[in-house]
Amino acid sequence: MRRRTVSPGNGLEEVLDNLAAAPAAREETSAPAPAPARPRERDTLQTEFAFELPRGYVDDEGQVHRQGTMRLATARDELRPQIDLRVKENPAYLSVVLLSQVITRLGTVTDVHAGVVERMYATDVAFLQDFYRRINSEGHTHAAVTCPLCHGSFEVDLSGGRLGES
């Protein structure tokens, strides 16, 4: 088996396509040349998720912010709080630091830092911790549910809506 190198001008996709076509070319030397492969559609990865807080963050001016977005966490996001002195002194502070890194927007607030998360109601922090867990472990905020009365199955988006709404 020959080794093949992938250089910036010679992409991995092209090498794999050539390898796949090579055995067929050896078997059918008289066959017409295959049509050029159409570019594959890339799977898109959703990296930001919208949410709505049960109570809402109240800023210094008294404005309530309920809608926000959270991005997927990176390995760096999960490692950085481990060296934070506030976390070393109080391990419960880890979720405050972690949430402040992955929340990208909260209403009109775009600079979400640990102080903002500290001033949130406990209900909202618990909601955000659960939301973080769902989007980073399962990759989505939809859940399949079954009605206990009619036994009908349907999907619910757990990220949006207010409490008691579906």
Side-chain angles (χ1 to χ4, degrees):
M1 177 172 230
R2 282 184 18 203
R3 287 186 182 218
R4 301 197 192 274
T5 17
V6 178
S7 63
N10 189 7
L12 180 59
E13 294 286 332
E14 184 181 336
V15 170
L16 291 175
D17 289 341
N18 290 339
L19 285 174
R26 277 185 237 130
E27 291 174 6
E28 298 179 21
T29 55
S30 62
R38 290 187 305 190
R40 296 180 192 162
E41 289 185 25
R42 302 273 183 215
D43 289 335
T44 57
L45 175 65
Q46 183 178 358
T47 58
E48 283 204 347
F49 298 84
F51 61 82
E52 184 172 339
L53 295 175
R55 300 224 187 271
Y57 166 69
V58 181
D59 64 15
D60 293 333
E61 288 80 36
Q63 185 177 1
V64 178
H65 305 273
R66 283 200 173 96
Q67 282 80 24
T69 54
M70 181 184 292
R71 67 174 173 78
L72 289 176
T74 63
R76 176 176 282 189
D77 292 327
E78 295 207 350
L79 292 171
R80 188 177 291 149
Q82 301 297 328
I83 59 171
D84 192 300
L85 293 177
R86 299 168 294 186
V87 174
K88 287 184 178 185
E89 291 175 11
N90 181 4
Y93 202 76
L94 182 132
S95 64
V96 171
V97 174
L98 188 55
L99 288 173
S100 70
Q101 293 179 146
V102 296
I103 297 172
T104 57
R105 182 187 58 80
L106 188 55
T108 58
V109 180
T110 56
D111 180 26
V112 181
H113 49 81
V116 170
V117 179
E118 284 176 351
R119 292 181 17 212
M120 287 183 181
Y121 295 108
T123 307
D124 291 335
V125 173
F127 169 84
L128 290 169
Q129 288 170 330
D130 182 54
F131 188 71
Y132 174 91
R133 181 190 52 76
R134 279 187 277 129
I135 68 171
N136 284 290
S137 63
E138 299 164 12
H140 59 81
T141 60
H142 296 267
V145 295
T146 304
C147 176
L149 298 174
C150 70
H151 301 289
S153 297
F154 55 96
E155 193 173 85
V156 175
D157 184 0
L158 301 171
S159 67
R162 311 256 312 247
L163 291 178
E165 293 180 356
S166 56

